[in-house]
Amino acid sequence: MLKSSSQRRVLIVVPTTLLREQWTEQLDSWGFSLNCEVQVINTVITRDWTTDLLIIDEIHRTGASELSKVFRRVTYKLILGLTATFERLDGRHELIQKYCPICDVVPITECLLN
């Protein structure tokens, strides 16, 4: 997306500062750090944001009442949620699906091969 239009903005939301650092390092190595902003979810839910693409790493955590505010605080055109454990015991994964429907599932065997 960023290769086709360098004007687009990406907001990447992560649950921890460690993941923020890892994402930032990877984005720097790919040359995407100018268009991408990586923020911890606790920061994101405190104010309004606007972006072209919202990426939520560990999206299963947004099922929690407080963290689900991310869907109201961020205005986005496209969304991509990433998780290895989508279904929640409390059933709140249905709330997440409302905002970010599942479009692909990669089996663990394929993950291990790649």
Side-chain angles (χ1 to χ4, degrees), residues 74-106:
V74 181
T75 302
Y76 54 88
K77 296 176 186 171
L78 301 166
I79 186 170
L80 174 65
L82 305 171
T83 185
T85 54
F86 183 72
E87 289 187 17
R88 294 173 48 106
L89 294 175
D90 61 6
R92 290 187 57 96
H93 54 277
E94 293 178 11
L95 168 76
I96 300 167
Q97 277 189 293
K98 175 181 166 187
Y99 295 99
C100 187
I102 296 174
C103 62
D104 193 15
V105 175
V106 181

Side-chain angles (χ1 to χ4, degrees), residues 57-77:
D57 196 1
E58 303 291 342
I59 195 167
H60 61 278
R61 294 183 180 207
T62 62
S65 296
E66 186 69 13
L67 300 182
S68 67
K69 290 180 182 177
V70 69
F71 299 114
R72 293 187 304 275
R73 300 308 300 248
V74 181
T75 302
Y76 54 88
K77 296 176 186 171

Side-chain angles (χ1 to χ4, degrees), residues 2 16 25 28 35 67 71 82 93:
L2 292 176
T16 65
E25 287 176 20
D28 286 344
N35 298 73
L67 300 182
F71 299 114
L82 305 171
H93 54 277

Side-chain angles (χ1 to χ4, degrees), residues 14 33-34 41 44 49 63 71 85 91 103 106 109:
V14 297
S33 56
L34 293 177
I41 193 165
V44 173
W49 302 75
F71 299 114
T85 54
C103 62
V106 181
T109 52

